[in-house]
Amino acid sequence: MSLTGTPPEVNDDLARAIDELAAGAERWARLPLDGRARLLREVHAAIAPVAEEWVRVAAAVKGLPAGSSLVGEEWLSGPYSALSAADAAARSVEALARGGSTLEGARLGAAPGGRVAVTVLPESLRESLLFHGFSVQVWLEPGVTAEQARREAGLDAVRVGANGGVCLVLGAGNISSIAPLDALYELVAHNRASIVKLNPTFASLRPVYEAAFAPLVREGLVRIVNGGPEAGAYLTTHPGIAKVHITGSARTHDAIVWGTGAEAVRRRAAGEPRLTVPITSELGGVSPVIVVPGRWGAADLRYQAEHVAMMRLHNAGHNCVAGQVLVLSADWPQRDAFLAELHAAFDRLPARGTWYPGTEGKVGQAVADHPGAELVNGRYIVEIGPGDPACTDEYFAPVLAWTQVPGTGAEFLDAAVAFANDELAGTLGANVLVVPRDRRALGARFDEAIVALRYGTVAINAWTGMGYSVVNAPWGAFPGDTLDDIGSGIGVVHNGHLLARTERTVVTGPFRPFPRSVLNGELSLFPKPPWYPEARSATATGRAMTEYAAAPSWRRLVPILFHAFRA
C-alpha cells in the first residue's frame, strides 16, 4: 500500500492521467480560437445523445421512480445545464475568433450604487418567450465601467498560447452537472485541463460523463476518475496539479488547505497552508428567504408558500443553495396564515426519501437542537431566533427554519437584511419575496436593501437555483472570503460571457404565475415553473427543454410551452 492509502497501481493510473492532461493543456494553449470553438461545438453535439442515459442514472442514484414528475429535476439540472453551458462557451469563443467580444448579445446598463449591470437573460427573442417575466443581471464590482467590462471580458480565453496547467476538480455529489461544468469553465476561462474526481455518490455516472465530454477526453483535456478520500489526498499533493477547485463543504476545503487537528492549528497560526497551489471553491451556506410583508390574496399565500417549500425540498433538500431560514415580519397580520399555508404545502407535496449520505445524522442533530420541531410529511419545520444552530449549520436536508424580525416596509427589510448578513453562515444565495406594488412603493429603499445583501446570487420573486441554471451568469459566493475564513468559497464558475470582476447575480421573476400574473397587472406569461414539485408535467417539460438546448429552434419551443402550461 502507498502512503496515501491507495494501491500503487491506482496512484500510477492517476499520475498517468495527470501527465496526459499536461500534454493536453499544452495542445490547447497552441490551438487557435476557431479550433477551440469547433471542439466546443463537438462537445455540445456529444451531450444530447447521452441525455436520456444521464437522467436515468442520476434518477437511479436518487431513488426516483422512472415515472415520477421529480425526474424533471434531473433533466434540468443535468443534461439541460450541460448543453446550455457548452453552447455558451462555444458562443463566447466563436465571438473572440471573429475578433468580437464575449459580450455579444448581452445588454449593459446601470445597477444601484453606480454599478454596471450586464443583462444575461433574456438575450434573444426566443429566450424572452421561454422565460417570459424573468430577467437575470450580473452586477459588476463598484467602480468597473462599461468600457472596462467590454475590454476585460474574455478572461484567459483571449490569451492564446497561455498554458494554465492541470486543475484538480473535486466534484459535488448532489447535482449531476456541477463537476463537468466546473471542468469546462477551467478549460475555457483559464486554459486548464482537468482531472475530475467524482464524488462517490455519482461514481456510476462516469461512463455517461466520458461519453458526453468525449471530445475533451480524446484531446487529453479532461480525465474523469472515481475514488475516495485517499485518491483525493494523493491528487491534491501531486506536483503536476497547478490548481484545485472544489464544490463541497467548508470542512473538506479547510482540510485540503490547512490539514486537520494539530497540524491545522499550527499551520493557521504560522500562515503556512499545506496546499501550495491556488484553490477556488463553492461551499454552500445557509440561505435566507426574506418575505416582505404586504396585503396578499389567498392564492398568493398558497403559491408563495409552495415556492418556499420548493426552495427547501428540491432535490430532497440536498442543495447548497436550498432556502433554509425563512425570515418573516413579527408585525405582518398574515404571518400565521402564511405559516399555515407553508405547513399545508409541506404536507401536500409528494413524500420523498432522502438519499445523500449523512442526511440521517444531520436531521437527527437538527431535531435534537429543536425540541419543538414539527414533523410534516417526513420533513421538519422549526422556529428559531438569533444564534440558533440553524443559522450556522447547513442542514443539506429537508429541515426548514423560520424566524421573525420586527417592522413593516423598509424597516422590516433593513432588519431582515441585517439578520441575513450578520446571523447566517455563508454568502452563496439569498431570496426575497415581495408583491410588485410593495416593491414599487419602497422605491430606492428596496434597491438599497438588495445592494446591502452580501450574497453571490440574489433572487427576487424567484429561487436562487435559477441563477445556477442560467449559465451565462457567474455562480459563486459574494466576493471577500479568504483562505482563513472561507465562508461560501472563492471565485466563480459558469460565467458564460467570461466577465471579469463580477460582484453578484440578480434574478428577478414574477410574483404570480400566469394567468394570475396578467390579471394582477404583471407583464408575465410564465406558468407554474417546471422545477416546482407540484408541476405535474415537469419531466416532459425538462425533456423538451433539453431537446431545445441541443438544437434551439422556434419549432422546438412549441413542446416546451405545451408541457409547461399543463403544470
Side-chain angles (χ1 to χ4, degrees), residues 94-105:
E94 286 165 350
L96 293 174
R98 294 192 300 267
S101 168
T102 61
L103 281 173
E104 290 180 7

Side-chain angles (χ1 to χ4, degrees), residues 285-286 324-325 384 387-395 422-426:
V286 175
Q324 179 161 311
V325 175
I384 66 167
D388 190 277
C391 296
T392 53
D393 299 342
E394 183 187 2
Y395 289 138
D422 301 337
E423 295 289 336
L424 304 184

Side-chain angles (χ1 to χ4, degrees), residues 162-354:
N163 182 346
V166 179
C167 180
L168 167 61
V169 172
L170 297 171
N174 62 323
I175 296 293
S176 64
S177 61
I178 290 177
L181 266 58
D182 291 347
L184 184 66
Y185 186 69
E186 288 295 332
L187 178 66
V188 176
H190 300 301
N191 301 319
R192 294 189 186 100
S194 289
I195 183 165
V196 180
K197 193 192 88 63
L198 300 179
N199 186 291
T201 60
F202 284 150
S204 56
L205 274 167
R206 179 179 173 181
V208 175
Y209 291 145
E210 290 178 333
F213 294 87
L216 302 185
V217 174
R218 181 192 72 216
E219 298 299 325
L221 297 170
V222 168
R223 290 289 182 270
I224 300 169
V225 301
N226 284 321
E230 297 84 2
Y234 173 82
L235 290 168
T236 56
T237 56
H238 192 284
I241 297 296
K243 190 245 176 134
V244 175
H245 177 80
I246 177 175
T247 301
S249 71
R251 180 183 296 115
T252 302
H253 170 278
D254 287 349
I256 292 169
V257 174
W258 302 105
T260 58
E263 179 195 13
V265 174
R266 176 179 59 80
R267 286 188 175 279
R268 282 183 181 275
E272 298 175 352
R274 68 188 295 271
L275 186 70
T276 58
V277 298
I279 182 170
T280 53
S281 48
E282 192 269 88
L283 307 174
V286 175
S287 294
V289 184
I290 297 171
V291 178
V292 180
R295 291 176 58 192
W296 294 21
D300 297 335
L301 290 167
R302 178 185 172 98
Y303 179 75
Q304 289 299 344
E306 184 182 332
H307 196 176
V308 173
M310 178 277 300
M311 295 180 195
R312 176 68 272 181
L313 301 179
H314 182 277
N315 199 28
H318 307 314
N319 284 332
C320 57
V321 74
Q324 179 161 311
V325 175
L326 177 65
V327 186
L328 301 174
S329 168
D331 300 309
W332 186 25
Q334 294 179 295
R335 181 200 60 195
D336 291 343
F338 183 78
L339 287 171
E341 287 289 358
L342 182 63
H343 281 72
F346 267 52
D347 192 47
R348 188 171 63 246
L349 296 181
R352 166 176 198 178
T354 56

Side-chain angles (χ1 to χ4, degrees), residues 318-467:
H318 307 314
N319 284 332
C320 57
V321 74
Q324 179 161 311
V325 175
L326 177 65
V327 186
L328 301 174
S329 168
D331 300 309
W332 186 25
Q334 294 179 295
R335 181 200 60 195
D336 291 343
F338 183 78
L339 287 171
E341 287 289 358
L342 182 63
H343 281 72
F346 267 52
D347 192 47
R348 188 171 63 246
L349 296 181
R352 166 176 198 178
T354 56
W355 58 270
Y356 198 81
T359 300
E360 186 176 337
K362 288 197 171 188
V363 172
Q365 185 60 56
V367 173
D369 289 339
H370 304 93
E374 298 176 77
L375 178 62
V376 185
N377 196 14
R379 301 101 174 203
Y380 287 93
I381 299 176
V382 302
E383 182 179 2
I384 66 167
D388 190 277
C391 296
T392 53
D393 299 342
E394 183 187 2
Y395 289 138
F396 216 66
V399 179
L400 176 70
W402 72 274
T403 191
Q404 52 189 340
V405 297
T408 59
E411 178 190 4
F412 163 80
L413 198 50
D414 291 345
V417 168
F419 180 91
N421 285 341
D422 301 337
E423 295 289 336
L424 304 184
T427 62
L428 185 61
N431 313 272
V432 181
L433 304 179
V434 59
V435 177
R437 66 171 178 269
D438 294 334
R439 177 178 178 176
R440 290 191 296 269
L442 286 164
R445 292 295 299 274
F446 185 86
D447 293 339
E448 291 166 4
I450 299 302
V451 170
L453 268 173
R454 297 192 296 270
Y455 287 83
T457 297
V458 176
I460 304 165
N461 292 337
W463 178 39
T464 45
M466 188 175 177

